[in-house]
Amino acid sequence: MTGTLRTLVAVLLPTLPLALYACGDGTPPAPRSEAMEAGPFCEAAMTRVNDFMASARAANPLPDGEGYGGTAVVGGITELLSGMDAFHAVDVNQRQHQQYVNLMTLVQADEELEMRPWLAESWELSADGTELTFHLRDDVLWHDGERTDAYDVAFTYLRASDTGTAYPNPGAFGPYVEGDEAIEIVDSFTVRLRFEPHAEVLELWRVLGIMPEHLLADVPAAELAEHPFATRCPVGNGPFVFLSHRQDESWTFEANPAFPEGLGGRPYLDRLVYRVVPEQTTLLTELLAGNVDLYANVRPDQAGVVQENDGAELRVTEARGFTFVAWNTRRPELEDARVRRALTMAVDREAVVGALLQGYGTLARSGLPPFHWAFDEDLPGLDYDPAGARTLLDQAGWADRDGDGVRENQDGSPLQLDLIFNAADQLRRALAELMQAQLREVGVDLTPVPLEGGAMRARATDPGSRDFDGLLLEWIHDFKVDETDLFSGDGPFAFAGLQDPEVDALLAELQTEVDRDGARPLWSAYQSRINELQPFTYLFFAQRLAGVSDRLQGVEADFRGFWVNVKDWRIAPSGR
């Protein structure tokens, strides 16, 4: 594959300070002078961005109308982790910024889950289901002025599917032809992909942000995760241009004056800021004080406060994400499925949903939400049954041999487990403490271990360590449910380390079954097997709550995410 290449030296850079500029009058931002001094790669990249943005503003004056201008501030509890690096996205907020803010995917999903054009203006799937051809728009520019083309799409696919890159969802590439033969550049704006027939072939391209080949082609796959592009000087092609990043504090983006008119043109906002506020009580206070315009992921116990406030509105969206505990089956205490089943049966999940979610959620029996077409309504759940849990633990050889209330195995080792979770999430903290008390009743000593988000991620996803017994987390499926990366292989998301040939075979077959009627019995068999093995204790599907200030208009947050129409957000002149 050939294309426009530029050799740039990659170095790690100091954090860039936040740059501010006047809002509502089209005043350009201060030059990204901090990046200029940071190192060769970012200096070259940001110089090109500055130069192109200056010419783009001159060629595309601020449109007429009072809807343009202002700064919107979104608050979330976590950093955007690996930033605008689509090769290593593991956080939902990070992925939302890639899909809707700074980068572009080939397609998007509408509110009916029908795929609509985005970077690709059209596509065709061959009659035999083995080839997908995308026709790209020819008017989408990277923020440094380079045109987005088929070489960028091919580069993105080949790097993401390269095992050296360590893309966190490698199962997505399972149906594709191996190597370079999987993708063909037909011309500068046409690309063809080859694969075995499989369900929902567009889903990968709704999720995976396209990356700039002209900047990153010379970076080895294994070095992409640490490259400064991701968090220090990302160059996107979406409606908002990166301006600055302060680690664990904020990300700032400015409106892209060159965004194609055919896709809506320049966003209404002058600037979009994502603030990292780890403490949710502080986030609520900031929303009510008017310092945050959208508080993503309001806690259920905070919903009433938002509803009663005159300056903000509570938005409730459908639950796609399930909260669970992954039990690390690599640990000897947890390798027996009877132990894992007992742990689930000892937790009163109905009481947890009632006490912690306050009606904003439903009990989970598997990773498929109840409204999903493949959900098995007849799947037998593991009901709250402390007596049954005690029996299973007895059968697995765990008994309280010294009368201290904690079970031991025949060697005298106690059944002591740790449970790691994000310390910033107060709901998970309360949940961990409830589980600790309930498991103590059946003789299991569970210790909640709150960790900073980055530290938790490292302990949970590093295949070389997996330093935990239990991991309390939320998982949000894409619109195509594929749990290969959770329960097959040992990629970053194989938290439980499950090894089961029956599960592997069912997951492989589900990938290739394109007919829903044919897939339903496979899904039922799969859910039944996972229920039997219980690598996860499925807790609940929590609805997504957001607090939106009255001054921020046009927000259409739904089950697709909070940023889905960010380019159409507006702030009235009186609210700036």
Side-chain angles (χ1 to χ4, degrees), residues 65-130:
E66 65 179 19
Y68 292 91
T71 296
V73 180
V74 179
I77 64 172
T78 58
E79 183 42 285
L80 298 183
L81 298 177
S82 51
M84 299 303 107
D85 173 7
F87 297 128
H88 300 94
V90 297
D91 172 75
V92 64
N93 290 349
Q94 174 195 13
R95 183 170 281 181
Q96 292 268 298
H97 278 77
Q98 293 175 5
Q99 290 174 305
Y100 304 119
V101 178
N102 185 247
L103 294 173
M104 294 181 69
T105 53
L106 289 179
V107 298
Q108 289 188 345
D110 65 18
E111 53 274 13
E112 302 298 327
L113 289 186
E114 295 295 329
M115 295 301 178
R116 65 187 183 190
W118 194 229
L119 178 55
E121 61 182 359
S122 64
W123 56 86
E124 302 101 31
L125 180 65
S126 63
D128 62 359
T130 63

Side-chain angles (χ1 to χ4, degrees), residues 20 91 102 119 321 348 466 507 525 528 555:
L20 303 178
D91 172 75
N102 185 247
L119 178 55
D348 189 350
R466 306 287 190 186
L507 285 169
S528 178
V555 177

Side-chain angles (χ1 to χ4, degrees), residues 249-493:
E249 292 186 26
S250 64
W251 287 76
T252 304
F253 303 89
E254 61 172 315
N256 178 8
F259 198 64
E261 287 296 327
L263 297 176
R266 178 202 194 275
Y268 288 100
L269 297 172
D270 278 343
R271 187 176 61 189
L272 177 72
V273 177
Y274 176 78
R275 281 183 58 195
V276 182
V277 184
E279 220 296 306
Q280 288 174 290
T281 301
T282 303
L283 252 180
L284 178 63
T285 301
E286 292 287 84
L287 173 70
L288 302 183
N291 298 323
V292 164
D293 297 299
L294 190 153
Y295 166 11
N297 300 316
V298 170
R299 285 202 323 256
D301 64 300
Q302 297 175 327
V305 178
V306 177
Q307 288 175 314
E308 295 169 3
N309 185 266
D310 292 335
E313 176 186 358
L314 182 72
R315 301 289 184 88
V316 182
T317 67
E318 284 300 322
R320 284 196 296 122
F322 60 92
T323 296
F324 65 100
V325 174
W327 301 113
N328 190 350
T329 66
R330 307 169 186 85
R331 299 288 174 92
E333 298 90 344
L334 294 163
E335 62 185 2
D336 191 327
R338 292 173 296 184
V339 173
R340 302 192 298 270
R341 290 172 66 84
L343 294 172
T344 296
M345 292 163 63
V347 178
D348 189 350
R349 295 177 296 147
E350 290 276 12
V352 165
V353 169
L356 298 184
L357 297 190
Q358 301 186 17
Y360 293 106
T362 58
L363 193 68
R365 286 189 287 168
S366 75
L368 275 72
F371 56 80
H372 192 276
W373 63 269
F375 177 72
D376 186 356
E377 295 183 356
D378 297 323
L379 181 70
L382 291 181
D383 295 331
Y384 178 52
D385 183 3
R390 294 185 185 98
T391 298
L392 283 174
L393 290 170
D394 288 340
Q395 293 173 355
W398 294 93
D400 184 6
R401 304 176 192 279
D402 58 8
D404 66 350
V406 178
R407 293 173 179 266
E408 295 86 23
N409 62 13
Q410 291 184 345
D411 296 331
S413 298
L415 188 49
Q416 294 177 329
L417 306 173
D418 62 45
L419 179 64
I420 66 173
F421 62 92
N422 187 343
D425 194 314
Q426 296 301 310
L427 178 65
R428 290 180 198 167
R429 182 185 296 271
L431 180 53
E433 291 171 354
L434 278 174
M435 291 185 64
Q436 179 185 38
Q438 292 179 350
L439 288 174
R440 185 76 185 191
E441 294 298 313
V442 299
V444 178
D445 184 10
L446 183 75
T447 302
V449 181
L451 297 173
E452 179 272 329
M456 186 202 71
R457 173 192 174 197
R459 289 179 63 170
T461 62
D462 181 4
S465 62
R466 306 287 190 186
D467 188 14
F468 65 91
D469 298 317
L471 167 66
L472 179 57
L473 200 63
E474 182 187 40
W475 183 270
I476 300 178
H477 275 305
D478 294 323
F479 298 136
K480 173 188 176 183
V481 176
D482 177 10
E483 298 191 329
T484 301
D485 295 316
L486 292 177
F487 298 130
S488 186
D490 196 32
F493 297 147

Side-chain angles (χ1 to χ4, degrees), residues 120-152:
E121 61 182 359
S122 64
W123 56 86
E124 302 101 31
L125 180 65
S126 63
D128 62 359
T130 63
E131 290 188 346
L132 177 64
T133 302
F134 284 109
H135 303 280
L136 309 185
R137 299 183 64 92
D138 62 4
D139 57 355
V140 175
L141 303 176
W142 293 104
H143 298 153
D144 61 2
E146 290 283 335
R147 198 169 300 275
T148 305
D149 57 23
Y151 295 99
D152 297 306

